Amino acid sequence: MAKKRPQTKAGKTGQAQVTSGEIPVVGAREPCPCGSGRRYKACHGRTASHAVTELVQRPFEGLTGECDWVALRELVPAATVPLTLKDGLPEGVPSVTLATVLPMAWPALRRDDGSVLLALQNDSTSGDLARDLADTLQRALVAEPGTPVPGRRVPAEGPRLQDLLDADAEFAPEVHSGFEFWIPQSSDGADPEVAASLERANAAAIPTVKLTGVDSAYWCETPDKNHLRWVMPYPEEKLLDALARLQAAGGTSIGEDTRLVGSFRAHGLMVPVWDLPTSMTAEECEKPAAEFAERLAAALASDAPLTAEERRARGGLTNRQVTLS
């Protein structure tokens, strides 16, 4: 067994020591400014990251359309949403649009006309996705037109999306069949690198449709079967109880040959998932999904203790949960 490397004492590093409250954010592999001789990620960076993660279990909480934010982050390949800033658009920025993903995984893009595209499906560096996105958005608003905004390590303090976006504005996702929205209609064509990225993204995109009759439910088509993924705003324990009541009563179906197969956990919310026949279209999901929503509302309203059969159903549902984030 390899011997553990002895930790270098702060007084022998040659670095000035600072108090915990003064330690700045540096790169994960850089020496920690506290003078311990350890890398930042293994010293004060670990503490800062843990504190932030604890704070933001639901990074989109408080935003209009929280469930759709989660869906676009984790489930939907290609979609856009116009965003409304709390303080209005800066001069020279005609619009700000949220996109699921951008070419070459750019965090954001300032287009030639000054408009901004903000990508949602990028890694979080601070542990607070809402803070990372706010930092990227702020940099995009002042970037030179025609340039992408690079990623960077985001400080653990700073504004969040909730501080920048209008809380009363509508959040209305538009789901696309591909990523052609990357290229402005006024453009003569895409740069070769963007065109290649577009081709790869389109080839990998799963056909997805947002249901219109219920909130935050998305039908998707895969080679073997179709699925319905429905992001729900209810507390997990209460939702599991309600689903267990319906499962025990045979009330979770949303049509012939459909089955509630489990759920995802994503950004503090639950996402029940149904298997659907390959022949079942998004349009054919609308009516049975609306009927299920009514049954679920009644089950959520019940506070009666679960029966033995309902407890078994709940255990089965709990065992079929997968955490995405």
Side-chain angles (χ1 to χ4, degrees):
M1 182 180 294
K3 293 182 179 179
K4 292 183 178 179
R5 181 190 300 174
Q7 293 184 7
T8 305
K9 293 185 178 180
K12 297 182 180 181
T13 62
Q15 294 178 321
Q17 288 184 272
V18 292
T19 65
S20 296
E22 299 170 339
I23 294 169
V25 174
V26 298
R29 293 181 174 274
E30 294 179 35
C32 187
C34 76
S36 67
R38 304 170 70 192
R39 289 178 177 176
Y40 179 72
K41 70 175 184 179
C43 192
H44 281 85
R46 176 186 297 171
T47 303
S49 174
H50 179 71
V52 171
T53 302
E54 288 295 310
L55 177 67
V56 290
Q57 186 177 8
R58 288 174 61 180
F60 306 118
E61 187 175 16
L63 290 173
T64 302
E66 180 187 7
C67 292
D68 285 312
W69 278 92
V70 171
L72 268 56
R73 166 72 182 182
E74 299 294 341
L75 308 173
V76 180
T80 55
V81 189
L83 296 180
T84 303
L85 303 187
K86 185 179 294 185
D87 297 326
L89 293 169
E91 185 177 355
V93 180
S95 64
V96 175
T97 302
L98 182 73
T100 46
V101 69
L102 292 175
M104 277 77 74
W106 291 331
L109 171 66
R110 182 88 185 272
R111 281 179 161 164
D112 291 334
D113 66 354
S115 61
V116 168
L117 288 178
L118 175 67
L120 181 56
Q121 294 179 12
N122 284 82
D123 291 336
S124 172
T125 61
S126 74
D128 181 352
L129 186 55
R131 181 167 287 115
D132 291 347
L133 288 165
D135 178 82
T136 302
L137 175 56
Q138 287 184 310
R139 290 187 291 129
L141 293 172
V142 297
E144 288 294 321
T147 60
V149 176
R152 75 169 186 177
R153 183 174 176 81
V154 177
E157 295 181 359
R160 308 178 72 233
L161 281 177
Q162 289 83 344
D163 302 316
L164 303 182
L165 300 183
D166 184 348
D168 297 322
E170 182 183 25
F171 189 81
E174 179 182 358
V175 178
H176 304 278
S177 58
F179 296 87
E180 283 72 20
F181 63 84
W182 287 352
I183 305 170
Q185 293 182 350
S186 58
S187 174
D188 294 331
D191 147 301
E193 199 173 8
V194 171
S197 185
L198 174 63
E199 184 176 352
R200 290 193 300 271
N202 280 345
I206 296 173
T208 302
V209 176
K210 185 179 190 298
L211 299 195
T212 60
V214 294
D215 293 333
S216 310
Y218 292 81
W219 170 96
C220 67
E221 179 183 10
T222 62
D224 296 329
K225 60 187 70 176
N226 297 343
H227 303 279
L228 183 67
R229 300 163 174 174
W230 194 338
V231 188
M232 296 186 172
Y234 314 110
E236 180 175 325
E237 296 302 312
K238 189 170 185 62
L239 179 55
L240 280 169
D241 282 353
L243 291 174
R245 296 181 197 281
L246 294 177
Q247 184 90 313
T252 56
S253 170
I254 53 171
E256 188 176 356
D257 296 326
T258 67
R259 186 167 70 97
L260 176 64
V261 292
S263 62
F264 297 132
R265 286 194 190 96
H267 303 290
L269 297 181
M270 255 185 74
V271 188
V273 178
W274 283 262
D275 277 353
L276 312 175
T278 54
S279 60
M280 190 173 191
T281 65
E283 185 177 0
E284 291 170 332
C285 284
E286 293 282 4
K287 183 179 178 182
E291 293 170 347
F292 172 81
E294 293 180 0
R295 297 195 297 274
L296 179 63
L300 285 165
S302 174
D303 57 2
L306 296 182
T307 65
E309 186 177 359
E310 289 168 347
R311 288 196 299 272
R312 284 193 295 272
R314 193 186 195 280
L317 291 168
T318 302
N319 291 336
R320 297 196 299 275
Q321 285 185 305
V322 175
T323 301
L324 298 181
S325 58

